[in-house]
Amino acid sequence: MASVTLENVSRMYGAVTAVDNVNLKIKSGEFVTLLGPSGCGKTTTLRMVAGLEKNTGGRIAIGDNVVSDSDKGYFVPSERRRLGMVFQSYAIWPHMTVFDNVAYPLRIRRRPDTEVRDRVMNALRLVEMEQYAERPSPALSGGQQQRVAIARALVFEPEVLLLDEPLSNLDARLRTQMGDDFRALQQRLKITALYVTHDQAEAMALSDRVVVMHGGKILQVGAPEEIYRRPENRQVAAFFGTPNLLNATVKDCRPNGGQYFKLSVEGQGWSGDCHAATEMPKGADVTVMVRPENLHVRDAGQVNGDLSWSGEVSQAIFRGSHRSIMVKTPAQTLHVEASSLSNVDIGRPVTVAAPVEAAWAVRN
Amino acid sequence: MTIIHNRPLDDIAETAPTIAGNAFTRAFSGGSLWRLIGMLLLILILGFLTIYPLAMLLYGSLHSTPPGMAGEFNLNGYRSIMTTQNLIVLANTIGISLAKTIPSLTIAVFLAWIVARTDTPFRGTLEVLITLPFFIPPILTAMAWGMLANPQVGVINMVWRWATGATDPLVNIYSYGGVIWHMCQYSIPFLFLFMVDAFRAMDPSLEESSRMCGASRWTTFRKITLLLMLPVLTSSFMLSFIKGIETFESALFFGLPAGIKVITTDIYESINHRATPDYQYATSLSFAIMGLMFLLVIWQWWMLRGKSFQTVTGKGFRPSVMELGPWRWVTFAFCVLFFFITVVLPIGQLMLGSFFRFFGFYTYDMLTLEHYRAVFANSEFWRAVRNTMVLGLLGATATMALGAIVAYISVRTRWRGRNLIDSMAWLPWMMPGMVLGVGFLWAFAMLPGPIPIYGTIWALLLAYIALGTPVSVRVMTGAYHQLSYDLEECSRVHGATWAQTMWRIMVALAWPAFAVGWVLTFFGIMRELSASILLYSVGSETLAVVLMKLWANGNAEQVSVIGLMMMLLVIVFRWVQLSFIKSRISKL
Ligand SMILES: Nc1ncnc2c1ncn2[C@@H]1O[C@H](COP(=O)(O)OP(=O)(O)OP(=O)(O)O)[C@@H](O)[C@H]1O
Ligand SMILES: [Mg+2]
């Protein structure tokens, strides 16, 4: 398996910039996910790596070989890039059986029949589809089609596996299961995978690293937990879930011993401590992000956190796994995810608290 | 489609000497030189098939003498068509076409509704029966109806006289009514074929939500169903109207004897029925009718602009079927009646005609097989069979191949010049067979001596290809639109070159559509009369031409025999086509 390198890669459609100066290095055996809202350029990026789209700027290399360099006008067509790809529609050819579909990449390369049979059956076994080999491919369920598409993409042992929203056509339960299965397979075979999705949970669960894109640009690259807990800016912070974002001013800033800085901040009617990635001058305006699941509701006046707000409960919604509680504070209404067992009355005065690790400040 | 590589050929070798791939695959995946040559070749072929006859038509209309003779350029041709008599011809043409389109559309909508949206029994079989008349060459039914509804000796009138004792005939096919009646028999199944899928594919939830809002069934039909169908109805109307103006057979058989002229028969007459053929008049008239067609096509385009066929999504739901109760036997009877009149009656007449010594004298002692013997002993007949078969097989294959290539380039690539070839392939759409025939007549005559196409079977072949190309492009365009780009791109990513992808994916997936189009084109060639009658010469007659000649000699009995043979051929082909489609659908 090979690495993938994108250097200043751009793609213009007329005057529209679909992908804008993307730099990314995917290590061999790594699972990297492109994540972002609809139209942010994920598919375009993937297709440029696949060679289905020409980059209008920058260079793309697979392993040590440059496959596309727009300045030199150099471009290796798809079929010579040795890739595997799973399309959103699966693109299972309806006129072939499951076996023929999977055998295609091998037959195209004129492999001997015995080798084709062995490798196809191996690939089908990998995705637990060997008993379907002789089925006409239209007679498959969505999940089965997806597995055939993966088998076909893997059968030639491609340099890199590209996947464009491969799970989005499946129902929620199957999606989780197929995702976990695929991740296990990827780790077992040490496949380099570039994966496109707009589903945050999927990206978190599967990837080694997540690339958050917006408007054709990369906003942040990092491990899922990194991106979720320590976003670099307000946009990335707001992208995952529905965090509480509070405006505040820095009162004090000091290193906390580790790689972060500890800030004392003050907002409208509240104050406390939080972490930040960089040093901030006193008086700087920052946004403090606190995730709803890290907030706790206590009786009024009871303070045992590094940050606290007092207010009254304005809304409580039972959601099965948890209870969404809205607490109205002088600063703004805070969204708290409490245990579904906790029961609070509307209008009750409470204190909302969070530990210092749960609060993350980014510069405005 | 984005698999486009604009680099010169040597570029790859220069910058990436390590990359493998032979010259052939490289040429077709990346070489703009080969692509350029291919496109030029295609433009040349299409140009010869469409632009060249058109240009010759214009030349002929401005030139005072037939091809090959010294003459001068003048506007006499156009002056000579500007007569009050021709105004009547024009009014006849338009009037007859309108008069057949409106009842045809009404009946076709009714039939489509019966088949697609009601619980009428045996709808599947009825659909096959209703569409059958469309595939029968019009010349056959024209001759059959000429015998059925002949005012003196037609079976219908004979039965009428016998039953009522009247002396006047009940019907006379040689009249405006006769021309329109014969055209309707083709328009109805054609329109039905054109519309029935739209009826079937309509999302029933659109209608159901109207019912839920409190609208009655009838209100829903008026305000929702009809309005949703409006784009289909409009384009059906225009298509049928345009086809009506191009029609030749009906007016030739039933109009001319009654002195009713339309533009196509007028062109035909000016070449074939005058002491000296008036080519300048014919070409000028041809050019004028093309102008008319052009205006109609523009009008059609303008009427349909921005209107989509969104209702035709057709997957995953069954349209709601209306339960008619006892009325369903009435709708059933209506469909059967239609089939009886348009297929059973003419076939019956042909049989009747083929077994009696003289057409019109149906008594026991007149029974004979001599016409069959005469036909089978006639070498001209066998030559015509061979010509028709060769032309059908070659013509359908070439037409579909051309259509498949043009459609692929215009739908699935972004190559420069794709719009040009698309428009060139579409051009014959505006040319009635008669007009194209005149154009090719001049075109072949003007070719330099060493290319002896004129008077050979190849002349007919080229004309058929030109006439069939718009339809073949349509069929293949539809087929390609249904194949997602993913199927093609997936193949490229997994290592197949452009050529390999074409062969293993596109051809493999599109060939059912190709086959269906092929059969359609074959039928089209078998029935073609208007261009054939201008371009044939001794030795290159087709079956339709032989029929025409026999008919003109008053040999209705042998006409019946040959007609029956052709009818049989049509039914066999149609059966093969239908069972083929069925097996394809059950497979996919
Ligand atoms: N062929 C094209 N011509 C013009 N603009 C295009 C074309 N293809 C994509 N774009 C534009 O480029 C941008 C990025 O498109 P892309 O398909 O990469 O989005 P995406 O992130 O995959 O979105 P989604 O999650 O909806 O699939 C979009 O704004 C889109 O409109
Ligand atoms: Mg996308």
Side-chain angles (χ1 to χ4, degrees), chain A residues 42-44 88 164-165 196:
Chain A
K42 308 180 293 286
T43 299
T44 309
Q88 185 171 358
D164 190 357
E165 310 206 21
V196 163

Side-chain angles (χ1 to χ4, degrees), chain A residues 47 52 79-80 89 93 104, chain B residues 2 486-487 489 491-492:
Chain A
R47 287 168 61 82
L52 295 171
E79 67 266 24
R80 278 189 257 133
S89 64
W93 299 302
Y104 189 85
Chain B
T2 43
D486 285 357
L487 296 173
E489 288 177 345
S491 163
R492 296 297 299 274

Side-chain angles (χ1 to χ4, degrees), chain A residues 11-14 16-19 35-47 53 88 164-165 196-198 213 215-216, chain B residues 2 414:
Chain A
R11 168 76 213 201
M12 309 274 294
Y13 289 111
V16 182
T17 310
V19 173
L35 179 68
S38 186
C40 70
K42 308 180 293 286
T43 299
T44 309
T45 308
L46 191 80
R47 287 168 61 82
E53 204 91 31
Q88 185 171 358
D164 190 357
E165 310 206 21
V196 163
T197 181
H198 61 255
M213 293 185 70
Chain B
T2 43
R414 294 193 191 290

Side-chain angles (χ1 to χ4, degrees), chain A residues 50-362:
Chain A
L52 295 171
E53 204 91 31
K54 254 185 172 178
N55 47 320
T56 50
R59 294 191 332 150
I60 300 173
I62 295 174
D64 298 328
N65 305 316
V66 174
V67 291
S68 175
D69 187 333
S70 77
D71 296 336
K72 293 199 186 130
Y74 174 63
F75 183 83
V76 178
S78 279
E79 67 266 24
R80 278 189 257 133
R81 293 190 182 191
R82 298 171 52 92
L83 301 170
M85 184 159 174
V86 178
F87 288 75
Q88 185 171 358
S89 64
Y90 306 144
I92 300 292
W93 299 302
H95 59 304
M96 300 180 186
T97 61
V98 167
F99 185 93
D100 291 337
N101 260 285
V102 178
Y104 189 85
L106 299 170
R107 289 192 175 144
I108 282 295
R109 293 172 172 100
R110 301 219 170 76
R111 289 303 146 108
D113 275 351
T114 47
E115 183 191 337
V116 169
R117 199 168 327 112
D118 290 349
R119 287 173 74 168
V120 170
M121 288 323 282
N122 270 336
L124 285 174
R125 203 164 302 127
L126 225 46
V127 293
E128 292 168 18
M129 286 290 291
E130 68 264 41
Q131 69 272 39
Y132 294 96
E134 294 313 317
R135 274 269 183 106
S137 49
L140 290 178
S141 74
Q144 291 166 338
Q145 288 195 20
Q146 195 251 9
R147 284 190 275 182
V148 173
I150 290 178
R152 180 177 60 191
L154 288 177
V155 75
F156 190 62
E157 287 165 12
E159 304 272 6
V160 180
L161 186 57
L162 306 171
L163 305 99
D164 190 357
E165 310 206 21
L167 303 178
S168 63
N169 283 340
L170 305 179
D171 73 59
R173 187 186 295 247
L174 193 56
R175 194 181 315 172
T176 320
Q177 195 211 325
M178 294 296 305
D180 294 346
D181 287 356
F182 178 65
R183 172 65 165 160
L185 187 70
Q186 181 266 336
Q187 281 177 325
R188 190 146 53 90
L189 303 180
K190 308 241 178 323
I191 301 166
T192 312
L194 181 56
Y195 188 101
V196 163
T197 181
H198 61 255
D199 183 321
Q200 308 158 12
E202 207 173 288
M204 298 278 169
L206 300 180
S207 336
D208 293 316
R209 281 193 299 157
V210 175
V211 178
V212 183
M213 293 185 70
H214 186 88
K217 288 197 174 70
I218 292 185
L219 293 181
Q220 188 174 355
V221 183
E225 194 171 343
E226 183 78 12
I227 293 210
Y228 187 74
R229 290 184 52 196
R230 292 181 281 275
E232 271 170 18
N233 54 46
R234 206 177 152 130
Q235 255 174 324
V236 177
F239 183 70
F240 291 95
T242 48
N244 296 296
L245 299 171
L246 298 117
N247 293 321
T249 319
V250 178
K251 293 279 122 190
D252 185 31
C253 176
R254 57 200 176 277
N256 78 336
Q259 40 188 150
Y260 309 115
F261 291 83
K262 190 166 186 177
L263 304 184
S264 293
V265 292
E266 183 176 296
Q268 199 185 349
W270 61 279
S271 63
D273 292 345
C274 63
H275 283 155
T278 53
E279 190 165 8
M280 312 254 186
K282 275 188 196 136
D285 287 331
V286 293
T287 297
V288 176
M289 176 195 80
V290 191
R291 301 238 170 236
E293 67 269 23
N294 296 331
L295 284 171
H296 302 285
V297 177
R298 315 245 177 258
D299 291 334
Q302 198 187 339
V303 178
N304 59 353
D306 300 299
L307 273 173
S308 64
W309 298 262
S310 42
E312 63 179 46
V313 176
S314 64
Q315 207 181 9
I317 303 164
F318 177 70
R319 294 194 192 276
S321 64
H322 64 269
R323 197 181 291 273
S324 289
I325 299 172
M326 297 297 181
V327 179
K328 205 167 164 201
T329 72
Q332 69 189 69
T333 302
L334 294 178
H335 176 205
V336 183
E337 267 179 25
S339 152
S340 54
L341 296 175
S342 65
N343 199 0
V344 285
D345 304 322
I346 309 283
R348 201 176 88 176
V350 290
T351 298
V352 177
V356 63
E357 310 85 53
W360 181 257
V362 295

